[in-house]
Amino acid sequence: MPGCATAVPGTVRLAASCSPARRARLDAMALISTRALSFRYPGSGGGVLALDDLTVSIEPGIVGLVGANGAGKSTLLRILLGLLAPTAGAAAVFDLDVRRDGPRIREQVGYMPEHDVLPPDVSATDLVTHLAEMSGLPRTAARERAAEVLRHVGLFEERYRPIGGYSTGMKQRVKLAQALVHDPRLLLLDEPTNGLDPAGRDEMLDLVRRTGTEFGMAVIVSSHLLGEIERVCDHVVAIDAGRLLRDAPLASFTLRTGTLVVELDEGAADVAADLVAAGIAAVTDGPRRVLVPVADERPFDLVRDAVATRGLALTRIEPARHRVEDLFRDALGRDEPEGGARGDAA
Amino acid sequence: MATPPDVLAGSATGSIYDLGYRGYDGPRLGRRHAVEALFVHGVRAVFGLGRSGRAKIAPLVLGGLFALPAIVSVGITAMAGEAAREFNPITIEGYLAFTGTTLVFFVAAQGPELLVRDQRHRVLTLYFSRALERTDYVLAKYLALLVAVALVLALPQVVLLLGTLFATPSFTDGLAEVVPQVWPVVGRTVVIAALLAGIGLVASAFTVRRAFAAGAIIAVFLVPSLVVSVLVEEVSLSGPAALVALADPFALIDGVSAFLFGAEGSTPTVIRSDLPVWLFAATAVAVCLGCLGLLLLRYRRITA
């Protein structure tokens, strides 16, 4: 039943540099839990149901929140911050109720919104210093922290110039810096790679990964690209149309959906036949590609042997790229009647 | 404890800025400090402090223009001596009756700065995702504009009071004249600043363009003032119809002054409407509270 999944505890992976106190603090409780959480945006015709009976429990670590655009990722993050009040159900962060304890939650959370939120006529230093004060840091400390986090995200001399002249990549860094400046316990990043070129994406993901691991800060990253989530996260929560689709450690879920793409100059059908004979459910994808499900190490050896004995030319072997759509197809495939019924109901 | 800087931890791509992330173990002063900081930030913003040089021109020019008659008046009295005082049209009670428009232009030029920027660039999201409450935001901004306008409002009045103090032949006489005026001056500075700030912020809270907000502020002050003055002058209202005089913001300002100084009104509207000055003062206070209420409501609903 994809709609009311049970929570699978995530793996907590913390760096060696993380202090014992911090580690203990993070291990102590479920970071986030929601129970039958629903949210309906008001509007004509009953409005839009953005979250639908979502029950999930998220443990500290680097957690990816995946879903297509409009799946309810941003809505969930904003409810966790207390910026939106749930229509029904309950949600808690650090065991604090989002309806009642919004200010206490927000004190300890850093939020990087998806859209552009930076005023163009002030410098990054001034903005981040000001926002650090808005988080309760004294003036001097705010200035020091602003300088430190801006350096951490890779802004140097530019930080004294007005933000209006920054590239998208630099703006994203400023947005990350303001989320980090008060050293929160939890970081909520809404589509941090939005609008970045491939190099910018790599750097941002690297930054997110380092921020999460070096100090053991709990991070939730939302993205509509599973590839990104795979690179930085320990745990994945997938939502679709406001419902929970999957909630599992990244490792377990790659194994289940893992597929190897084998590209050959020719003879894909022969290789596939050999693999099927050996008990692997390989299928061809055109005359030169074989898709091989990977549950353990065995298929790698079998592919090698098949290609070698038949004297074929192997172009490449790579894991199939997971996209959010794969997740959906897989989830629907496993629970065909349930998935179909849900589609009709929606 | 902070982790030591990990300068050499560059990956294959060689990120030279990798100094490691360090935590913050210092004091956290919480919501109260945030509100105070937002207030100070707001007052500075009204005067263009911490902004480019260009942002300082308008507040300086308008603030200077507003204080100019007082400075000129004191200068003339100082040169012409005691005799000139009788013919001086500039009195402290009636000062706003003919300089009030300049003050409105100051609020129109600088007030929208406080709210419009945050809405236009969606900075509200960054504020409201912190410990700061929406109510805190409104109160800090209101207080900031109130204090900024009060400072501008206070300058010519202080100049006039000092002028009186030093122009009178004996210092004790001067003191006797000035001291009773201190409380009315303080009182009206606060109430009138609150009135201007309230109207200025309400006009700014519903737009993402400074020009619209500025235009709205000027319109709110000048249009009713014109209409009411025509009505009072031409139709010579009496009885309950005279209450329309309360719709003129300049009449409210004048009423506050007259009430606190225990004097007659200085503007034609207040004089001819024949309403008691306390009614104008009470309406001014009610408008301040109404504006604050509207702002709180607006910011409770606004999506961040």
Side-chain angles (χ1 to χ4, degrees), chain A residues 7 48 62 75 93 102 122 145 151 162 201-202 206 213 235 238 277 291 307 321 326 328 338 343:
Chain A
V48 178
I62 304 182
T75 306
V93 181
V122 293
R145 282 290 300 174
R151 203 177 52 216
R201 267 165 199 270
D202 288 350
D206 199 39
T213 50
H235 195 94
L291 303 180
V307 170
R321 289 203 80 80
D326 299 338
F328 291 34
E338 187 75 32

Side-chain angles (χ1 to χ4, degrees), chain B residues 41-49 51-64 102-117 141 144-146 148-149 152 196-197 200-201 204 210-211 213-215 217-218:
Chain B
H41 186 260
V43 176
R44 288 171 52 89
V46 174
F47 294 108
L49 298 172
R51 301 278 156 82
S52 64
R54 230 176 28 174
K56 297 176 181 71
I57 297 173
L60 265 178
V61 168
L62 290 168
T102 320
L103 197 60
V104 169
F105 278 102
F106 179 87
V107 174
Q110 301 306 112
E113 175 75 12
L114 287 178
L115 298 184
V116 172
R117 265 167 49 89
K141 292 283 185 178
L145 188 55
L146 192 160
V149 175
V152 173
L196 287 160
L201 290 184
S204 313
R210 274 184 76 154
I217 293 168
I218 291 171

Side-chain angles (χ1 to χ4, degrees), chain A residues 2-3 49-54 65-73 76 223 237-247 324-325 327-329 331-332 339 342-343 346:
Chain A
L49 189 62
L51 290 179
D52 184 7
D53 196 29
L54 183 75
L65 183 61
V66 257
N69 289 324
K73 305 184 298 285
L76 177 58
S223 178
V237 172
I239 57 177
D240 177 34
R243 285 170 163 263
L244 184 70
L245 201 61
R246 272 273 177 92
D247 168 24
V324 188
E325 299 82 70
L327 254 183
F328 291 34
R329 197 174 52 212
L332 297 179
R342 194 186 47 136

Side-chain angles (χ1 to χ4, degrees), chain A residues 66-141:
Chain A
V66 257
N69 289 324
K73 305 184 298 285
S74 298
T75 306
L76 177 58
L77 295 182
R78 292 156 66 77
I79 286 177
L80 296 177
L81 274 166
L83 289 176
L84 292 175
T87 311
V93 181
F94 316 124
D95 280 343
L96 296 169
D97 185 286
V98 293
R99 278 200 188 86
R100 258 199 346 262
D101 298 314
R104 281 180 65 203
I105 294 172
R106 290 195 289 272
E107 250 171 31
Q108 309 171 64
V109 175
Y111 172 51
M112 175 176 175
E114 181 184 4
H115 53 251
D116 196 8
V117 288
L118 305 173
D121 54 352
V122 293
S123 68
T125 303
D126 287 349
L127 178 74
V128 177
T129 303
H130 176 59
L131 290 170
E133 280 200 274
M134 291 303 104
S135 290
L137 268 59
R139 180 90 188 146
T140 335

Side-chain angles (χ1 to χ4, degrees), chain A residues 124-125 128-129 132 141-151 159 177 181:
Chain A
T125 303
V128 177
T129 303
R143 230 184 264 126
E144 283 167 14
R145 282 290 300 174
E148 203 164 294
V149 289
L150 283 169
R151 203 177 52 216
R159 66 175 191 254
V181 73

